[in-house]
Amino acid sequence: GQQVMQIPQYQHVQEGEDFTTYCNSSTTLSNIQWYKQRPGGHPVFLIQLVKSGEVKKQKRLTFQFGEAKKNSSLHITATQTTDVGTYFCAGHVSTGNTGKLIFGQGTTLQVKP
Amino acid sequence: NAGVTQTPKFRVLKTGQSMTLLCAQDMNHEYMYWYRQDPGMGLRLIHYSVGEGTTAKGEVPDGYNVSRLKKQNFLLGLESAAPSQTSVYFCASSLAGPKSYEQYFGPGTRLTVT
């Protein structure tokens, strides 16, 4: 079936270090969304990428969508303790639109002050 | 606006019992979704609805039923709970299909089946 794989599953960094999570799909995606879930909270939408090769920035966060629209990454520069949480990518497949997003397993980020 | 609300927040069931989880949204969204979240497995779609009176199966529909009698409400039912259904359940809604719009999530329901 259609799958979205996300790595790493966990990442521990020192405050101020950079962090990257990667998302790979077995099929071409029409778009990809990123969500953040704080501990004990619910997923909150961060951004959507639609175009091949698209790069978007939100302050210290940089999101990329691969040229083949099968992979994506989220990079955080100079992490802060407020970045703690689980980051999910979620892709919508290009064919057979049934209104479903496929979520990756998530990357849990811990930041040591 | 309350956004997406879920009741109850917590529930403990014995194996074989039934229950209904209620999701309500006040954003006039067409699409609504039920997910379950288990450690290391991300969010898995159980059922979803593209409008009032319509429902469709997601990735893991077995053991669950849903109904969307009113546009603002989406109910998830467990007819005979099993320990494998111990999970955190999230409801979400969006303006239209997820191809174009973000999903708004409720606070979740933590269900334990003993």
Side-chain angles (χ1 to χ4, degrees):
Chain A
Q2 297 147 351
Q3 281 193 317
V4 174
M5 305 298 291
Q6 200 173 342
I7 56 169
Q9 190 172 359
Y10 298 98
Q11 184 86 56
H12 294 247
V13 299
Q14 197 73 37
E15 189 172 21
E17 291 181 339
D18 292 356
F19 159 77
T20 304
T21 173
Y22 300 91
C23 191
N24 291 289
S25 170
S26 57
T27 56
T28 304
L29 302 171
S30 59
N31 67 60
I32 194 154
Q33 298 178 357
W34 285 90
Y35 291 79
K36 177 182 178 181
Q37 184 178 23
R38 295 184 187 276
H42 58 275
V44 175
F45 176 81
L46 292 177
I47 207 160
Q48 176 171 272
L49 304 170
V50 178
K51 299 177 185 173
S52 169
E54 190 170 11
V55 178
K56 286 188 177 180
K57 291 191 176 186
Q58 287 180 351
K59 296 183 182 177
R60 295 178 294 104
L61 278 61
T62 302
F63 304 84
Q64 295 189 2
F65 200 11
E67 294 290 341
K69 300 184 79 173
K70 283 189 172 184
N71 57 74
S72 182
S73 65
L74 158 58
H75 179 82
I76 302 178
T77 303
T79 54
Q80 300 175 358
T81 54
T82 52
D83 295 324
V84 163
T86 301
Y87 293 85
F88 292 98
C89 62
H92 185 267
V93 296
S94 294
T95 58
N97 178 9
T98 55
K100 295 187 289 187
L101 273 180
I102 303 170
F103 278 81
Q105 301 95 320
T107 296
T108 298
L109 173 64
Q110 297 277 13
V111 179
K112 288 171 83 173
Chain B
N1 285 356
V4 180
T5 57
Q6 291 181 234
T7 52
K9 288 186 168 51
F10 303 93
R11 186 73 187 267
V12 178
L13 287 179
K14 288 186 166 42
T15 298
Q17 286 184 321
S18 64
M19 78 163 294
T20 300
L21 281 67
L22 171 64
C23 175
Q25 52 93 5
D26 61 3
M27 297 174 283
N28 202 34
H29 286 172
E30 285 294 330
Y31 281 48
M32 296 187 75
Y33 316 83
W34 275 107
Y35 294 91
R36 60 177 290 173
Q37 185 174 34
D38 302 293
M41 301 193 73
L43 290 149
R44 292 184 293 169
L45 184 64
I46 305 171
H47 286 280
Y48 66 104
S49 167
V50 301
E52 182 178 319
T54 71
T55 63
K57 293 181 180 179
E59 196 182 346
V60 289
D62 293 342
Y64 305 94
N65 57 74
V66 287
S67 64
R68 182 104 181 265
L69 299 178
K70 291 183 178 181
K71 185 177 182 179
Q72 62 268 34
N73 296 337
F74 196 27
L75 279 64
L76 177 70
L78 286 73
E79 289 186 348
S80 180
S84 60
Q85 293 178 305
T86 293
S87 187
V88 180
Y89 291 86
F90 287 101
C91 175
S93 69
S94 68
L95 267 175
K99 193 171 185 177
S100 301
Y101 295 102
E102 66 191 85
Q103 294 190 12
Y104 292 79
F105 284 80
T109 295
R110 187 173 293 275
L111 175 66
T112 302
V113 183
T114 61

